Coordinates of all heavy atoms in Angstrom, one line a residue:
M1 N -4.8 1.1 49.6 CA -3.6 0.3 49.5 C -2.4 1.2 49.6 O -2.2 2.2 48.9 CB -3.6 -0.3 48.1 CG -4.6 -1.4 48.0 SD -4.6 -2.1 46.3 CE -3.0 -2.9 46.3
S2 N -1.6 0.8 50.5 CA -0.4 1.6 50.7 C 0.8 0.7 50.5 O 1.2 -0.1 51.3 CB -0.3 2.1 52.2 OG -0.4 1.1 53.0
T3 N 1.3 0.8 49.3 CA 2.4 0.0 48.9 C 3.7 0.7 49.2 O 4.4 1.3 48.3 CB 2.4 -0.4 47.4 OG1 2.2 0.8 46.7 CG2 1.2 -1.3 47.2
R4 N 4.1 0.7 50.4 CA 5.3 1.4 50.8 C 6.5 0.4 50.6 O 6.4 -0.8 50.7 CB 5.3 1.8 52.3 CG 4.5 3.1 52.5 CD 4.6 3.5 53.9 NE 3.8 4.7 54.2 CZ 3.7 5.2 55.4 NH1 4.4 4.6 56.4 NH2 3.0 6.3 55.6
L5 N 7.6 1.0 50.4 CA 8.8 0.2 50.3 C 9.2 -0.3 51.7 O 9.5 0.4 52.6 CB 10.0 1.0 49.8 CG 9.8 1.5 48.3 CD1 10.9 2.4 47.9 CD2 9.8 0.3 47.4
A6 N 9.0 -1.6 51.8 CA 9.3 -2.2 53.1 C 10.7 -1.9 53.5 O 11.7 -2.4 52.9 CB 9.0 -3.7 53.0
R7 N 10.8 -1.1 54.5 CA 12.2 -0.8 55.0 C 12.7 -2.0 55.8 O 12.1 -2.5 56.7 CB 12.1 0.4 56.0 CG 11.9 1.7 55.2 CD 12.0 2.8 56.2 NE 11.7 4.1 55.5 CZ 11.8 5.3 56.1 NH1 12.0 5.3 57.4 NH2 11.6 6.4 55.5
M8 N 13.8 -2.4 55.4 CA 14.4 -3.5 56.1 C 15.2 -3.0 57.4 O 16.4 -3.1 57.5 CB 15.4 -4.2 55.2 CG 14.7 -4.7 53.9 SD 15.8 -5.7 52.9 CE 15.7 -7.3 53.8
G9 N 14.4 -2.5 58.2 CA 15.0 -2.0 59.4 C 14.8 -2.9 60.6 O 14.2 -2.6 61.6
G10 N 15.3 -4.1 60.5 CA 15.1 -5.0 61.5 C 16.3 -5.0 62.5 O 16.8 -6.0 62.9
G11 N 16.6 -3.8 62.9 CA 17.7 -3.7 63.8 C 17.4 -4.2 65.2 O 18.0 -5.0 65.7
G12 N 16.3 -3.6 65.7 CA 15.9 -4.1 67.1 C 16.8 -3.5 68.1 O 16.7 -3.9 69.3
G13 N 17.6 -2.6 67.8 CA 18.5 -2.0 68.8 C 17.8 -0.8 69.5 O 18.0 -0.7 70.7
G14 N 17.0 -0.1 68.8 CA 16.3 1.0 69.5 C 17.2 2.1 69.8 O 17.2 2.6 70.9
G15 N 18.0 2.5 68.8 CA 18.8 3.7 69.1 C 18.7 4.8 68.0 O 19.6 5.5 67.7
D16 N 17.5 4.9 67.5 CA 17.3 5.9 66.5 C 17.0 7.2 67.1 O 17.3 8.3 66.5 CB 16.1 5.4 65.6 CG 16.6 4.4 64.6 OD1 17.8 4.2 64.4 OD2 15.7 3.8 63.9
Q17 N 16.4 7.2 68.2 CA 16.0 8.5 68.8 C 17.3 9.2 69.3 O 17.9 8.8 70.3 CB 15.1 8.3 70.0 CG 13.6 8.3 69.5 CD 12.7 8.5 70.7 OE1 13.0 8.2 71.8 NE2 11.5 9.0 70.4
R18 N 17.6 10.3 68.7 CA 18.7 11.1 69.1 C 18.3 12.2 70.1 O 18.1 13.3 69.7 CB 19.4 11.7 67.9 CG 19.9 10.6 67.0 CD 20.6 11.2 65.8 NE 21.0 10.2 64.8 CZ 21.5 10.5 63.6 NH1 21.6 11.8 63.2 NH2 21.8 9.6 62.7
A19 N 18.2 11.8 71.3 CA 17.7 12.8 72.2 C 18.8 13.8 72.6 O 19.8 13.4 73.2 CB 17.2 12.1 73.5
G20 N 18.6 15.0 72.1 CA 19.6 16.0 72.4 C 20.9 15.8 71.8 O 22.0 16.1 72.3
S21 N 20.9 15.2 70.6 CA 22.2 15.0 69.9 C 22.6 16.3 69.3 O 21.9 17.1 68.8 CB 22.0 13.9 68.8 OG 21.0 14.4 67.8
V22 N 23.9 16.4 69.3 CA 24.5 17.7 68.8 C 25.4 17.3 67.6 O 26.0 16.2 67.5 CB 25.3 18.4 69.8 CG1 24.3 19.0 70.9 CG2 26.3 17.5 70.5
S23 N 25.5 18.3 66.7 CA 26.4 18.0 65.6 C 27.4 19.2 65.4 O 27.1 20.3 65.7 CB 25.6 17.9 64.3 OG 24.8 19.0 64.1
C24 N 28.5 18.8 64.9 CA 29.6 19.8 64.7 C 29.2 20.8 63.6 O 28.7 20.4 62.6 CB 30.9 19.2 64.4 SG 32.2 20.3 64.0
L25 N 29.4 22.1 63.8 CA 29.0 23.1 62.8 C 30.1 23.2 61.8 O 29.9 23.8 60.7 CB 28.8 24.4 63.5 CG 27.7 24.5 64.5 CD1 27.7 25.9 65.2 CD2 26.4 24.2 63.8
V26 N 31.2 22.6 62.0 CA 32.3 22.7 61.1 C 32.3 21.6 60.1 O 32.3 21.8 58.9 CB 33.6 22.7 61.8 CG1 34.8 22.8 60.8 CG2 33.7 23.9 62.8
C27 N 32.2 20.4 60.6 CA 32.2 19.2 59.7 C 30.9 18.4 59.7 O 30.7 17.6 58.9 CB 33.4 18.3 60.1 SG 33.2 17.5 61.7
G28 N 30.0 18.8 60.6 CA 28.7 18.1 60.6 C 28.7 16.8 61.3 O 27.7 16.1 61.2
R29 N 29.7 16.5 62.0 CA 29.8 15.2 62.7 C 28.9 15.2 63.9 O 28.9 16.2 64.6 CB 31.2 14.9 63.1 CG 31.4 13.5 63.6 CD 32.9 13.2 63.8 NE 33.1 11.9 64.4 CZ 34.3 11.4 64.7 NH1 35.3 12.2 64.5 NH2 34.4 10.3 65.3
G30 N 28.2 14.2 64.1 CA 27.2 14.1 65.2 C 27.8 13.5 66.4 O 28.6 12.6 66.4
F31 N 27.3 14.1 67.6 CA 27.8 13.5 68.8 C 26.6 13.4 69.8 O 25.7 14.1 69.7 CB 28.9 14.5 69.5 CG 30.1 14.5 68.7 CD1 30.3 15.5 67.7 CD2 31.1 13.6 68.9 CE1 31.4 15.5 66.9 CE2 32.3 13.7 68.1 CZ 32.4 14.6 67.1
G32 N 26.7 12.4 70.6 CA 25.7 12.2 71.6 C 25.6 13.1 72.7 O 24.6 13.5 73.2
R33 N 26.8 13.6 73.1 CA 26.9 14.5 74.3 C 27.5 15.8 73.9 O 28.4 15.8 73.0 CB 27.7 13.8 75.4 CG 27.0 12.6 76.0 CD 27.8 12.0 77.1 NE 27.1 10.9 77.7 CZ 27.6 10.2 78.8 NH1 28.7 10.7 79.3 NH2 27.0 9.2 79.3
L34 N 27.1 16.8 74.5 CA 27.6 18.1 74.2 C 29.1 18.2 74.6 O 29.9 18.8 73.9 CB 26.9 19.2 75.0 CG 27.3 20.6 74.8 CD1 27.1 21.0 73.3 CD2 26.6 21.6 75.7
E35 N 29.5 17.4 75.6 CA 30.9 17.5 76.0 C 31.8 16.8 74.9 O 32.9 17.3 74.6 CB 31.0 16.7 77.3 CG 32.4 16.9 77.9 CD 32.4 16.4 79.4 OE1 31.3 16.2 80.0 OE2 33.5 16.2 79.9
D36 N 31.2 15.8 74.3 CA 32.0 15.2 73.2 C 32.1 16.2 72.1 O 33.2 16.2 71.4 CB 31.3 13.9 72.7 CG 31.3 12.8 73.8 OD1 32.3 12.9 74.7 OD2 30.4 12.0 73.8
L37 N 31.1 16.9 71.8 CA 31.1 17.8 70.7 C 32.2 18.9 71.0 O 33.0 19.3 70.2 CB 29.8 18.5 70.5 CG 29.8 19.6 69.5 CD1 30.1 19.2 68.1 CD2 28.4 20.3 69.5
R38 N 32.1 19.4 72.2 CA 33.1 20.4 72.6 C 34.5 20.0 72.4 O 35.4 20.7 71.9 CB 32.9 20.8 74.1 CG 31.7 21.8 74.3 CD 31.7 22.2 75.7 NE 30.6 23.2 75.9 CZ 30.5 23.8 77.1 NH1 31.2 23.4 78.2 NH2 29.5 24.7 77.3
R39 N 34.7 18.8 72.8 CA 36.0 18.2 72.7 C 36.4 18.1 71.2 O 37.6 18.4 70.9 CB 36.0 16.8 73.3 CG 37.4 16.4 73.8 CD 37.3 15.0 74.4 NE 38.1 14.7 75.5 CZ 38.2 13.6 76.2 NH1 37.3 12.6 75.8 NH2 39.0 13.4 77.2
H40 N 35.5 17.7 70.4 CA 35.8 17.6 69.0 C 36.0 18.9 68.4 O 36.9 19.1 67.5 CB 34.6 16.9 68.3 CG 34.6 17.0 66.8 ND1 35.4 16.2 66.0 CD2 33.9 17.8 66.0 CE1 35.2 16.6 64.8 NE2 34.3 17.6 64.7
V41 N 35.2 19.9 68.7 CA 35.3 21.2 68.1 C 36.7 21.8 68.3 O 37.2 22.5 67.5 CB 34.3 22.2 68.7 CG1 34.5 23.6 68.3 CG2 32.9 21.8 68.2
R42 N 37.3 21.4 69.4 CA 38.6 21.9 69.7 C 39.6 21.5 68.6 O 40.6 22.1 68.4 CB 39.1 21.4 71.1 CG 38.3 22.0 72.2 CD 38.9 21.5 73.5 NE 39.8 22.5 74.0 CZ 40.5 22.3 75.2 NH1 40.3 21.3 75.9 NH2 41.3 23.2 75.6
T43 N 39.3 20.4 68.0 CA 40.2 20.0 66.9 C 40.1 20.9 65.7 O 41.0 20.9 64.9 CB 39.8 18.5 66.4 OG1 38.5 18.6 65.9 CG2 39.9 17.6 67.6
H44 N 39.0 21.6 65.7 CA 38.9 22.6 64.6 C 39.4 24.0 64.9 O 40.1 24.6 64.2 CB 37.4 22.8 64.2 CG 36.8 21.5 63.6 ND1 37.3 20.9 62.5 CD2 35.7 20.8 63.9 CE1 36.6 19.9 62.1 NE2 35.6 19.8 63.0
T45 N 39.1 24.4 66.1 CA 39.4 25.7 66.5 C 40.5 25.7 67.6 O 41.0 26.8 68.0 CB 38.2 26.5 67.1 OG1 37.7 25.7 68.2 CG2 37.1 26.6 66.0
G46 N 40.8 24.5 68.1 CA 41.8 24.4 69.1 C 43.2 24.8 68.6 O 43.4 25.2 67.5
E47 N 44.1 24.7 69.6 CA 45.5 25.1 69.2 C 46.1 24.0 68.3 O 46.1 22.8 68.6 CB 46.3 25.2 70.5 CG 45.8 26.3 71.4 CD 46.6 26.4 72.7 OE1 47.7 25.8 72.7 OE2 46.2 27.0 73.6
K48 N 46.6 24.5 67.3 CA 47.3 23.6 66.4 C 48.7 24.2 66.1 O 49.0 24.9 65.1 CB 46.6 23.5 65.1 CG 45.3 22.7 65.3 CD 44.6 22.5 63.9 CE 43.3 21.7 64.2 NZ 42.5 21.6 62.9
P49 N 49.6 23.9 67.0 CA 50.9 24.6 67.0 C 51.8 24.0 65.8 O 52.7 24.7 65.4 CB 51.5 24.3 68.3 CG 50.8 23.0 68.8 CD 49.5 23.0 68.1
Y50 N 51.4 22.9 65.4 CA 52.3 22.2 64.4 C 51.8 22.5 63.0 O 50.7 22.3 62.6 CB 52.3 20.7 64.6 CG 52.8 20.4 65.9 CD1 51.9 19.9 66.9 CD2 54.2 20.4 66.2 CE1 52.4 19.6 68.2 CE2 54.6 20.1 67.5 CZ 53.7 19.7 68.5 OH 54.1 19.4 69.7
T51 N 52.6 23.2 62.2 CA 52.2 23.5 60.8 C 53.2 22.9 59.8 O 54.4 22.7 60.1 CB 52.3 25.1 60.7 OG1 53.6 25.5 61.0 CG2 51.2 25.7 61.6
C52 N 52.7 22.7 58.7 CA 53.5 22.2 57.6 C 54.3 23.3 57.0 O 53.8 24.4 56.6 CB 52.6 21.5 56.5 SG 53.6 21.0 55.1
P53 N 55.6 23.1 56.9 CA 56.5 24.2 56.3 C 56.3 24.3 54.8 O 56.7 25.3 54.2 CB 57.9 23.7 56.6 CG 57.8 22.2 56.8 CD 56.3 21.9 57.3
M54 N 55.6 23.4 54.2 CA 55.4 23.5 52.8 C 54.1 24.1 52.4 O 53.9 24.7 51.3 CB 55.4 22.1 52.2 CG 56.6 21.2 52.7 SD 58.2 21.9 52.1 CE 58.0 21.5 50.3
C55 N 53.1 24.1 53.3 CA 51.8 24.6 52.9 C 51.2 25.1 54.2 O 51.8 25.3 55.2 CB 50.9 23.6 52.2 SG 50.4 22.2 53.3
T56 N 49.9 25.3 54.2 CA 49.2 25.9 55.4 C 48.5 24.8 56.2 O 47.7 25.1 57.0 CB 48.1 26.9 54.9 OG1 47.2 26.2 54.0 CG2 48.7 28.1 54.1
F57 N 49.0 23.6 56.0 CA 48.4 22.5 56.8 C 48.8 22.7 58.3 O 49.9 23.0 58.6 CB 48.9 21.2 56.3 CG 48.4 20.0 57.1 CD1 47.2 19.5 56.9 CD2 49.2 19.5 58.1 CE1 46.8 18.4 57.6 CE2 48.8 18.4 58.8 CZ 47.6 17.9 58.6
R58 N 47.8 22.5 59.1 CA 48.0 22.6 60.6 C 47.5 21.4 61.3 O 46.5 20.8 60.8 CB 47.3 23.9 61.1 CG 47.8 25.1 60.4 CD 47.0 26.3 60.8 NE 47.2 26.7 62.2 CZ 46.6 27.7 62.8 NH1 45.7 28.4 62.2 NH2 46.9 28.1 64.0
A59 N 48.1 21.1 62.3 CA 47.7 19.9 63.1 C 48.0 20.1 64.5 O 48.8 20.9 64.9 CB 48.4 18.6 62.6
A60 N 47.3 19.3 65.4 CA 47.5 19.4 66.8 C 48.6 18.6 67.3 O 49.2 18.8 68.4 CB 46.2 19.0 67.5
V61 N 49.0 17.6 66.5 CA 50.0 16.7 66.9 C 51.1 16.7 65.8 O 50.8 16.8 64.6 CB 49.5 15.3 67.2 CG1 48.7 15.3 68.4 CG2 48.7 14.8 66.0
M62 N 52.3 16.5 66.2 CA 53.4 16.5 65.2 C 53.3 15.4 64.3 O 53.7 15.5 63.1 CB 54.7 16.5 66.0 CG 55.9 16.9 65.1 SD 55.8 18.6 64.6 CE 57.4 18.8 63.9
S63 N 52.9 14.2 64.8 CA 52.8 13.1 63.9 C 51.9 13.3 62.7 O 52.1 12.8 61.6 CB 52.3 11.9 64.7 OG 51.0 12.1 65.2
S64 N 50.9 14.1 62.9 CA 50.0 14.4 61.8 C 50.7 15.2 60.7 O 50.4 15.0 59.5 CB 48.7 15.2 62.3 OG 48.0 14.4 63.2
V65 N 51.5 16.1 61.1 CA 52.3 16.9 60.2 C 53.2 16.0 59.4 O 53.4 16.1 58.2 CB 53.0 18.0 60.9 CG1 53.8 18.8 59.8 CG2 52.0 18.9 61.6
Y66 N 53.8 15.1 60.1 CA 54.8 14.2 59.5 C 54.1 13.4 58.5 O 54.5 13.2 57.3 CB 55.4 13.3 60.5 CG 56.5 14.0 61.3 CD1 56.9 13.5 62.5 CD2 57.1 15.1 60.8 CE1 57.9 14.1 63.3 CE2 58.1 15.8 61.5 CZ 58.5 15.2 62.8 OH 59.5 15.8 63.5
R67 N 52.9 12.9 58.9 CA 52.1 12.0 58.0 C 51.7 12.8 56.8 O 51.7 12.4 55.6 CB 50.9 11.5 58.7 CG 50.2 10.4 57.9 CD 49.1 9.9 58.8 NE 48.3 8.9 58.1 CZ 47.2 8.3 58.6 NH1 46.8 8.7 59.8 NH2 46.5 7.5 57.9
H68 N 51.3 14.1 57.0 CA 50.9 14.9 55.9 C 52.0 15.2 54.9 O 51.8 15.1 53.7 CB 50.3 16.2 56.5 CG 50.3 17.4 55.5 ND1 49.3 17.6 54.7 CD2 51.3 18.3 55.2 CE1 49.6 18.7 53.9 NE2 50.8 19.1 54.3
M69 N 53.1 15.4 55.4 CA 54.3 15.7 54.6 C 54.7 14.5 53.7 O 55.1 14.7 52.6 CB 55.5 16.2 55.4 CG 55.2 17.6 56.0 SD 56.6 18.1 57.1 CE 57.9 18.3 55.9
R70 N 54.5 13.4 54.3 CA 54.8 12.2 53.6 C 53.8 11.9 52.5 O 54.2 11.5 51.4 CB 55.0 11.0 54.6 CG 56.3 10.9 55.2 CD 56.5 9.5 55.7 NE 55.6 9.2 56.8 CZ 55.6 8.0 57.4 NH1 56.5 7.1 57.1 NH2 54.8 7.8 58.4
T71 N 52.6 12.1 52.8 CA 51.5 11.7 51.9 C 51.3 12.8 50.8 O 51.0 12.5 49.7 CB 50.2 11.4 52.6 OG1 49.9 12.6 53.4 CG2 50.3 10.3 53.5
V72 N 51.4 14.0 51.2 CA 51.1 15.1 50.3 C 52.4 15.6 49.6 O 52.4 15.7 48.4 CB 50.5 16.3 51.1 CG1 50.2 17.5 50.2 CG2 49.2 15.8 51.7
H73 N 53.4 15.8 50.3 CA 54.6 16.4 49.7 C 55.7 15.3 49.4 O 56.7 15.6 48.9 CB 55.2 17.4 50.7 CG 54.2 18.5 51.0 ND1 53.7 19.4 50.1 CD2 53.6 18.8 52.2 CE1 52.8 20.2 50.7 NE2 52.8 19.9 52.0
N74 N 55.3 14.1 49.8 CA 56.3 13.0 49.6 C 57.7 13.3 50.2 O 58.7 13.2 49.5 CB 56.4 12.7 48.1 CG 57.0 11.4 47.8 OD1 57.1 10.5 48.7 ND2 57.5 11.2 46.6
I75 N 57.6 13.7 51.4 CA 58.9 14.1 52.1 C 59.1 13.1 53.2 O 58.2 12.9 54.1 CB 58.8 15.5 52.6 CG1 58.7 16.5 51.4 CG2 60.1 15.8 53.5 CD1 58.6 17.9 51.9
N76 N 60.2 12.5 53.2 CA 60.6 11.6 54.3 C 60.9 12.4 55.6 O 62.0 13.1 55.6 CB 61.7 10.7 53.9 CG 62.0 9.7 55.0 OD1 61.2 9.5 55.9 ND2 63.2 9.1 54.9
T77 N 60.1 12.4 56.5 CA 60.3 13.2 57.7 C 61.0 12.4 58.8 O 61.3 13.0 59.8 CB 58.9 13.6 58.3 OG1 58.1 12.5 58.5 CG2 58.3 14.6 57.3
R78 N 61.3 11.2 58.5 CA 62.0 10.4 59.6 C 63.4 11.0 59.8 O 63.8 11.2 60.9 CB 62.1 9.0 59.1 CG 60.9 8.2 59.4 CD 61.1 6.7 59.2 NE 61.8 6.1 60.4 CZ 62.1 4.8 60.5 NH1 61.7 4.0 59.5 NH2 62.7 4.4 61.5
A79 N 64.0 11.3 58.7 CA 65.3 12.0 58.8 C 65.1 13.5 58.6 O 65.0 14.0 57.6 CB 66.2 11.4 57.7
T80 N 65.1 14.1 59.8 CA 64.9 15.5 59.8 C 65.9 16.2 58.9 O 67.1 16.1 59.1 CB 65.0 16.1 61.2 OG1 65.8 15.3 61.9 CG2 63.6 16.1 61.8
P81 N 65.4 16.9 57.9 CA 66.3 17.6 56.9 C 67.0 18.7 57.6 O 66.6 19.9 57.5 CB 65.4 18.0 55.8 CG 64.1 18.1 56.4 CD 64.0 17.1 57.6
S82 N 68.0 18.4 58.4 CA 68.7 19.5 59.1 C 69.4 20.5 58.1 O 69.8 20.0 57.0 CB 69.8 18.9 60.0 OG 70.7 18.1 59.2
L83 N 69.4 21.7 58.5 CA 70.0 22.7 57.6 C 71.4 22.3 57.3 O 72.2 22.0 58.2 CB 69.9 24.0 58.2 CG 68.5 24.5 58.6 CD1 68.6 25.8 59.3 CD2 67.7 24.6 57.3
T84 N 71.7 22.2 56.0 CA 73.1 21.8 55.6 C 74.1 22.5 56.4 O 74.3 23.7 56.3 CB 73.3 22.1 54.1 OG1 72.8 23.5 53.9 CG2 72.5 21.2 53.2
P85 N 74.8 21.8 57.2 CA 75.8 22.3 58.1 C 77.0 22.7 57.3 O 77.8 21.9 56.7 CB 76.2 21.2 59.1 CG 75.8 20.0 58.3 CD 74.7 20.3 57.4
S86 N 77.2 24.0 57.2 CA 78.4 24.5 56.4 C 79.6 24.7 57.2 O 80.7 25.0 56.8 CB 78.0 25.8 55.7 OG 77.6 26.7 56.7
N87 N 79.4 24.5 58.5 CA 80.5 24.7 59.5 C 80.9 23.4 60.1 O 81.0 23.3 61.3 CB 80.1 25.7 60.6 CG 80.3 27.1 60.1 OD1 80.8 27.4 59.0 ND2 79.8 28.1 60.9
L88 N 81.2 22.5 59.2 CA 81.7 21.2 59.8 C 83.1 21.3 60.1 O 84.0 21.6 59.3 CB 81.4 20.1 58.7 CG 80.0 19.5 58.8 CD1 79.9 18.4 57.7 CD2 79.8 18.8 60.1
P89 N 83.4 21.0 61.4 CA 84.8 21.2 61.9 C 85.7 20.1 61.3 O 86.8 20.0 61.8 CB 84.7 21.1 63.4 CG 83.4 20.3 63.6 CD 82.5 20.5 62.4
T90 N 85.3 19.3 60.5 CA 86.2 18.2 60.0 C 86.7 18.6 58.6 O 86.0 18.5 57.7 CB 85.4 16.9 60.0 OG1 84.9 16.6 61.2 CG2 86.4 15.8 59.6
Ligands
ZN101 ZN1 33.9 18.8 63.3
ZN102 ZN1 52.0 20.6 53.6

């Protein structure tokens, strides 16, 4: 008698076999193609020229930094905090 827990796997899709699936070594995310993984890995090791001036947060796109600053530091980045102009000619 084999009373196994009947798995309710009535998917019928047939996509369980991960032939040659690769996973990211950084975050563990899986990808079907190596090219996709390579592309993804770049997000970890790729160029991230945009950095948060408040901490060590880095991002590949500026919008990510803006979003980070708003959510983490609660800083409104819409209005760029320009350096207080002390040389106003008026
Ligand atoms: Zn990753
Ligand atoms: Zn930050």
Side-chain angles (χ1 to χ4, degrees):
M1 287 178 72
S2 57
T3 52
R4 279 186 183 178
L5 292 176
R7 288 187 181 180
M8 303 189 77
D16 279 349
Q17 271 200 336
R18 298 177 184 173
S21 64
V22 289
S23 57
C24 175
L25 296 177
V26 181
C27 66
R29 190 172 175 181
F31 294 90
R33 293 184 181 181
L34 181 62
E35 193 166 340
D36 291 335
L37 172 64
R38 277 187 178 183
R39 207 182 214 175
H40 163 80
V41 168
R42 290 184 95 180
T43 63
H44 291 306
T45 60
E47 295 181 16
K48 292 183 180 178
Y50 302 103
T51 58
C52 172
M54 311 294 292
C55 66
T56 58
F57 177 82
R58 300 171 73 180
V61 289
M62 196 64 170
S63 58
S64 293
V65 178
Y66 283 160
R67 190 177 177 183
H68 159 87
M69 289 178 70
R70 272 198 299 180
T71 55
V72 177
H73 305 294
N74 197 17
I75 294 176
N76 184 14
T77 52
R78 279 191 78 178
T80 29
S82 56
L83 301 176
T84 47
S86 55
N87 276 351
L88 275 177
T90 305

